[in-house]
Amino acid sequence: MSVDNDEHLYRLPHLCAGAKISRGTLLGWVKREDNIIFADLDQKETSGRGGAIIFSRRQAIQTGLVAEGQRLGMPVALAAKVAAGFAYVGRSEIGPLPGFVPGELLKGGRRTYLVHFEGSETASVLAGLSDLELAAAAGEQGVSALNAFHVINVNAVVQHMDEALEANVGPHSHDVGGVA
């Protein structure tokens, strides 16, 4: 699927299906003051559906990463920081990996991992999980490599989200951006 990460194309049910979360959970994340999911509540679909919130692919991936972080045992606010770092920030929060573009998978068929060490408020994007790479990520996050850590396989999250989003895109849709 070739979609600009910032085009608003998807509705709430699409993100819920991809992230395997309830509508209430996602609505709670969108409306929280600490911005679990960055959503412009003024950006609404106006095709007679009651003003449904619409989302970009970048927000969909962010949602999938937050949900996966929670499944791995991260508190939602921390999972949100880690996901936002991947989706929006880049170098200053998640590491000096050459060629990393916020919100995108690593190029050249390399796996993309998001690694968060206990005691840190950030995460690192890694192309591999060798001892050396994990030690460097821990150092980058200012913690010991002996700390417990979470690993999110970003490729798997992106693939699942894209499949769910693509399944909801129809060529004859009358909704925003061709979304059914």
Side-chain angles (χ1 to χ4, degrees), residues 6 9 19 51 57-58 61 67 69 77 82 94 98 107 129 160:
D6 294 315
L9 299 173
R57 180 173 176 269
R58 183 182 309 267
I61 291 169
V82 166
I94 54 178
K107 306 293 184 236
L129 299 174
H160 195 271

Side-chain angles (χ1 to χ4, degrees), residues 12-66:
L12 196 113
H14 306 141
L15 274 69
C16 292
K20 299 179 188 172
I21 57 174
S22 71
R23 175 181 169 82
T25 296
L26 183 52
L27 278 174
W29 290 355
V30 167
K31 294 180 178 180
R32 277 180 58 156
E33 286 184 27
D34 55 351
N35 292 321
I36 300 303
I37 301 299
F38 305 127
D40 182 355
L41 296 178
D42 295 328
Q43 179 71 34
K44 295 191 184 244
E45 174 183 0
T46 57
S47 62
R49 294 192 185 269
I53 303 166
I54 55 176
F55 298 88
S56 67
R57 180 173 176 269
R58 183 182 309 267
Q59 290 164 317
I61 291 169
Q62 179 190 10
T63 300
L65 291 172
V66 173

Side-chain angles (χ1 to χ4, degrees), residues 90-91 95-108 110 112 125:
R91 169 62 183 100
L97 192 61
F100 173 68
V101 176
E104 296 183 14
L105 297 173
L106 296 173
K107 306 293 184 236
R110 295 183 298 167
T112 306
V125 174

Side-chain angles (χ1 to χ4, degrees), residues 71-83:
R71 281 190 279 278
L72 293 173
M74 298 171 77
V76 69
L78 178 59
K81 284 181 185 179
V82 166

Side-chain angles (χ1 to χ4, degrees), residues 17 43 66 71 90 111 122-123 130 135 158:
Q43 179 71 34
V66 173
R71 281 190 279 278
R111 276 268 182 242
T122 63
S130 70
V158 168

